Amino acid sequence: MSDERLPGFSTLAIHAGAQPDPTTGARATPIYQTTSFVFDDVDHAAALFGLQTFGNIYSRLGNPTNAVLEERVAALEGGTAGLAVASGHAAQFLVMHTLMQPGDEFVASRKLYGGSINQFNHAYKNFNWNVVWADPDDISSFEKAISPKTKAIFVESVANPGGVILDLDAISAIAKRAGVPLIVDNTMATPYLCRPIEHGADIIVHSATKFLGGHGNSIGGVIVDCGTFNWSRDGRYPMLSEPRPEYQGIVLHETFGNFAFAIACRVLGLRDFGPALSPFNAFMLLTGIETLPLRMQRHCDNAQAVAEFLSNHPQIDWVSYPGLPGDRYHNLALKYVPKGAGAVFTFGVKGGYDAGVKLVSEVQLFSHLANIGDTRSLIIHPASTTHRQLSDAQKTISGAGPDVVRISVGLEDKEDIIADLDQALSAN
Ligand SMILES: *Cc1c(COP(=O)(O)O)cnc(C)c1O
């Protein structure tokens, strides 16, 4: 083995960012359940507060357990630095806070997690950050949505819930022409299936709550700085390119170079808004990530088998899974997620609303709830739950028509998953 050899993905998933605890020898990463950290002396404290040295101060700003999670996800994505926060939505918020000034715009794919659509349409309005929607099925709509006020483009690599695969190369080319960073939410794919940095992403966000943690037990989020964007080119990102009064006039991009974005999210966003991740949750998420490659492959293999079963079932009208050869996103899936098309997809039951309600009521192995990316198989009928408040027309536009059922295929034996759907579909 030459010294040049870089560790592979599975090795990084287990080791990146971690080493035996220098004080105790503990092999698993300890949970540093402490609010604060003792300074060596007054000079050390001053250097920490002035960003002249790295180190621990207070767990809202950083924590050694969280630091291992940050380094691990950054390594898996191929970025320069990470920042762990309390949830996926907190990650998105801190990213936007670092990029946007009041009155600015960003362009977002219309095909996003419902909570993100809500955050962009409503919560961000309070800051006068304005979303302009684009259609991933018409790439030119991204170009058309760009204006002089645009500060970023936001997409999901594999979009929740409908199994839409984004043409990241085409969208990153548009971002580059516009001189703005491409932000990719890589929650559904995880870096095991897709590495957005290889397709021009500048910033990656995760809801670690889902497949990264993978066990349905901890909420968390991660931001990854890809280290690819020049923040000082034209003064459009003053948080990064102008002196910061809170830190004695430091210019973050000048001082921290290709990981300045992650630093800005920490020292200007996390510090002041405070959505810190508990070190206990960081520990749970780290434990989950150790088996990410094994789990994701099994999730995909099971999902493929379930999608094939459903597409041949007489009670099923249609199945939207990019792993199926006839699917409209199949070619994009072969390019962007060749190991598998993820584990979350939608299908339509014959009999509409009532048949959807019946299916989620009759399943036994599946859990009827609003989450994805658990070891357990999960099911939801959006029209009667998450999208209940919308009109019928709005439901259909947002992919939540009366017949639509979404599943997140778990890690049980695929024969048992299929048998459960089969018995629920034939129950009367
Ligand atoms: C769940 C989810 C989010 C939000 O993450 P939380 O951890 O629930 O805040 C964002 N994007 C995608 C794709 C998600 O599935």
Side-chain angles (χ1 to χ4, degrees):
M1 210 163 80
S2 91
D3 291 347
E4 299 297 304
R5 199 185 141 72
L6 295 172
F9 190 90
S10 297
T11 306
L12 292 172
I14 295 169
H15 293 284
Q19 49 199 316
D21 184 63
T23 323
T24 62
R27 190 62 194 84
T29 297
I31 303 170
Y32 289 95
Q33 191 70 27
T34 181
T35 55
S36 23
F37 302 84
V38 176
F39 305 121
D40 297 345
D41 53 39
V42 172
D43 291 341
H44 178 227
L48 283 170
F49 279 107
L51 299 182
Q52 282 119 17
T53 188
F54 291 105
N56 299 305
I57 300 175
Y58 185 63
S59 284
R60 169 154 46 74
L61 297 170
N63 173 283
T65 312
N66 299 23
V68 177
L69 175 63
E70 288 159 353
E71 216 176 300
R72 187 158 308 166
V73 178
L76 293 176
E77 290 286 9
T80 52
L83 180 67
V85 295
S87 68
H89 270 6
Q92 295 168 197
F93 173 72
L94 295 187
V95 163
M96 288 303 177
H97 171 257
T98 305
L99 300 175
M100 307 282 287
Q101 304 292 307
D104 282 348
E105 296 175 0
F106 66 102
V107 176
S109 161
R110 217 176 260 299
K111 294 285 166 67
L112 295 182
Y113 172 67
S116 301
I117 293 176
N118 220 51
Q119 186 188 54
F120 296 176
N121 269 339
H122 303 297
Y124 286 1
K125 285 286 179 310
N126 293 326
F127 300 89
N128 198 10
W129 304 340
N130 300 299
V131 62
V132 181
W133 297 106
D135 179 0
D137 295 330
D138 170 15
I139 292 293
S140 70
S141 67
F142 283 84
E143 192 109 54
K144 289 187 196 124
I146 302 279
S147 87
K149 292 179 178 169
T150 307
K151 292 297 177 71
I153 297 180
F154 185 103
V155 300
E156 291 176 8
S157 45
V158 175
N160 181 356
V164 178
I165 313 279
L166 274 278
D167 190 347
L168 295 179
D169 286 334
I171 295 171
S172 75
I174 293 171
K176 283 187 178 50
R177 277 200 292 281
V180 301
L182 174 63
I183 307 164
V184 177
D185 180 338
N186 203 30
T187 297
M188 294 257 286
T190 81
Y192 175 74
L193 296 179
C194 174
R195 297 231 303 179
I197 196 168
E198 289 163 9
H199 302 288
D202 300 295
I203 297 161
I204 296 165
V205 290
H206 276 283
S207 170
T209 313
K210 316 292 171 53
F211 293 97
L212 280 185
H215 293 70
N217 57 28
S218 307
I219 303 273
V222 181
I223 298 165
V224 175
D225 184 347
C226 300
T228 44
F229 197 82
N230 178 4
W231 303 108
S232 306
R233 199 174 52 189
D234 53 14
R236 273 202 266 187
Y237 303 97
M239 296 269 263
L240 290 133
S241 66
E242 285 177 18
R244 293 309 310 179
E246 3 9 13
Y247 290 109
Q248 299 92 41
I250 272 185
V251 175
L252 292 176
H253 187 208
E254 201 177 276
T255 309
F256 296 105
N258 69 0
F259 58 100
F261 185 78
I263 295 278
C265 289
R266 185 191 302 279
V267 304
L268 304 177
L270 183 59
R271 186 194 68 163
D272 294 344
F273 292 100
L277 180 70
S278 147
F280 180 80
N281 278 19
F283 171 84
M284 297 302 279
L285 297 170
L286 276 169
T287 304
I289 290 171
E290 291 180 9
T291 56
L292 177 68
L294 294 171
R295 287 187 293 101
M296 281 316 283
Q297 194 59 59
R298 175 67 82 88
H299 274 299
C300 290
D301 295 348
N302 281 358
Q304 181 74 31
V306 172
E308 285 169 11
F309 160 77
L310 289 171
S311 63
N312 292 314
H313 197 285
Q315 303 291 113
I316 300 298
D317 242 346
W318 53 268
V319 177
S320 170
Y321 185 65
L324 295 174
D327 191 84
R328 76 179 286 184
Y329 300 105
H330 188 61
N331 286 335
L332 287 171
L334 293 177
K335 175 174 181 186
Y336 290 105
V337 286
K339 292 200 279 286
V344 179
F345 65 92
T346 52
F347 55 90
V349 281
K350 285 185 183 153
Y353 188 93
D354 293 341
V357 169
K358 197 191 85 184
L359 176 58
V360 298
S361 312
E362 293 291 342
V363 286
Q364 288 164 8
L365 183 63
F366 274 80
S367 305
H368 178 207
L369 54 73
N371 189 26
I372 58 169
D374 196 325
T375 53
R376 288 153 274 261
S377 289
L378 314 175
I379 192 164
I380 197 158
H381 178 231
S384 61
T385 53
T386 48
H387 292 65
R388 197 188 186 97
Q389 74 287 0
L390 302 183
S391 69
D392 283 353
Q394 284 175 319
K395 280 181 185 144
T396 303
I397 290 169
S398 58
D403 63 331
V404 177
V405 173
R406 183 188 79 186
I407 56 175
S408 174
V409 179
L411 302 180
E412 303 94 339
D413 289 293
K414 63 176 182 286
E415 294 78 8
D416 293 328
I417 301 170
I418 288 171
D420 189 37
L421 290 170
D422 199 24
Q423 67 77 24
L425 285 166
S426 47
N428 47 48

